[in-house]
Amino acid sequence: MTPEAPRPLLDGVSSRPPRPDDPKIDGLSPWLVLEPENEWALSRALELCHRESLAVVPVGSGTRLALGNRPSHLDAYLSTRALDGVVDHIPGDLTVTVRAGTLVRTLQEELFEQGQFLPVDPPLPERATIGGVFALGEPGFRRRPGGRPRDLLLGFEGVLADGTVVKSGGRVVKNVAGYELSKLFTGSAGTLFVMTRAHLRLRALPEKAVTVCARFRRAGEARSGWLELIRSHLLPEAATLLNPISSRASSLDDWCLVLRFEGLSEEVSASAEAAKKRLPGAAEISSRVWDWIRDFPLGATGKDVLVLRGLVAPALTFELAEEWRDGGPLIAHPDSGIVFSRTEEPDGLADRQDVARRLGANVVLEQAPPGLKEEVDVFGEPPKAFAIMKRLKQELDPRGILSPGRFVGRL
């Protein structure tokens, strides 16, 4: 059967039923897919959803729809894919304005020609969109302070649930009710408003990048090596710990501390040599390992796959990694306290949560079997600021149509 062609719904907005290749959210599909052709049309589409109380989930390429609770209602997808392309790039200012539906890799390739790049490395950059990256606040393996998505977002333009167009930062400042919208948007997972374009801070391409790997028999030894680097002020651009299972998947072995140095050629060479002297047995390896690390949260499929993200105080990163070591592949970022663990044994979730709780860590289920997600909030215990989050949701989306039930506390 030939798929039904999109039909005009409003000026600039096509509508169609879902197709077999459209993503699902925990087995759920909407009955309507809205495809606006520009920012103005997206505003009209949201205005319609608000007026008709249609539960709508914004979708770019759908690479991270597994992250989040099961929607309490789902009537429509709102596609941002037609909102693509660079609007304005000012190389001298290291800034770019780009539409939200632009693929990350497409943007990076265009910036590369000017010797610049956006320092984010989300999973599957050939499919991930700019809007999705900032909606989730996911930087990839670059996690040093100052390099997170919220630090790179100078401002954005977007649409509230009722179709109201808002602008924050960038060249035009128009906040709503005194809120700093750029910070509210980053990490809100499409529950407060929909980004249409972003004003972003860039970096110059490094002259050189070197990856150094140090192998250790135990996680505690890797921790000692990391502390030695910190004491000597050797701070790499990125640092990731691999447990032995992940090391073998990357053609390495033991516990591996993988370090990325990038920047001016002489400085990078000097830093890499200093790191090798301070970490016995450390050696340079191919930088291709970062592609595997980048894609780790989406590196496995299957109905029983469980992917956990633990967030702990950075000083306890190695301890949490050690406690979670036997469940399956694991990577950890000691500069931010993030630990990702992947397993096909979801029955062990309670034990892992108990361990994390003892260390003061929060646990997010990045991916989980649908049955498990019906039993638990994938974001863990609501934070202390949850009452404020509820008030923000009520003020910005009073009818609760944007991604209902998907966020923290099933907002």
Side-chain angles (χ1 to χ4, degrees), residues 217-362:
R217 294 182 59 187
R218 289 180 291 274
E221 295 175 356
R223 178 180 181 274
S224 298
W226 173 247
L227 293 177
E228 172 65 20
L229 287 179
I230 292 176
R231 284 192 290 266
S232 61
H233 303 291
L234 277 174
L235 295 179
E237 173 65 22
T240 302
L241 176 72
L242 310 182
N243 75 340
I245 299 174
S246 289
S247 293
R248 288 193 291 272
S250 304
S251 301
L252 302 169
D253 52 41
D254 295 327
W255 287 89
C256 287
L257 184 60
V258 184
L259 310 170
R260 181 185 181 93
F261 297 94
E262 62 180 44
L264 299 175
S265 295
E266 292 185 4
E267 293 178 358
V268 168
S269 296
S271 295
E273 289 303 314
K276 286 187 285 186
K277 289 180 181 179
R278 285 172 170 77
L279 301 174
E284 292 184 21
I285 62 172
S286 170
S287 292
R288 287 195 297 270
V289 68
W290 294 108
D291 292 344
W292 188 88
I293 292 170
R294 178 198 67 205
D295 294 341
F296 183 86
L298 299 180
T301 59
K303 62 183 181 65
D304 293 326
V305 172
L306 179 65
V307 180
L308 304 180
R309 181 180 76 216
L311 176 58
V312 71
L316 298 175
T317 305
F318 294 87
E319 189 171 349
L320 181 59
E322 174 75 19
E323 292 286 351
W324 280 3
R325 67 188 181 280
D326 294 329
L330 175 148
I331 67 173
H333 303 286
D335 46 3
S336 63
I338 299 287
V339 180
F340 285 101
S341 173
R342 196 168 67 215
T343 180
E344 294 187 11
E345 300 176 359
D347 291 344
L349 174 61
D351 289 340
R352 292 184 173 216
Q353 288 175 320
D354 287 343
V355 167
R357 218 172 276 122
R358 289 200 300 272
L359 295 176
N362 184 52

Side-chain angles (χ1 to χ4, degrees), residues 182-206:
S182 294
K183 291 184 178 179
L184 286 182
F185 175 80
T186 307
S188 63
T191 59
L192 296 179
F193 31 79
V194 181
M195 174 188 279
T196 56
R197 62 178 63 186
H199 311 293
L200 304 172
R201 190 193 315 273
L202 305 175
R203 286 190 198 170
L205 283 170

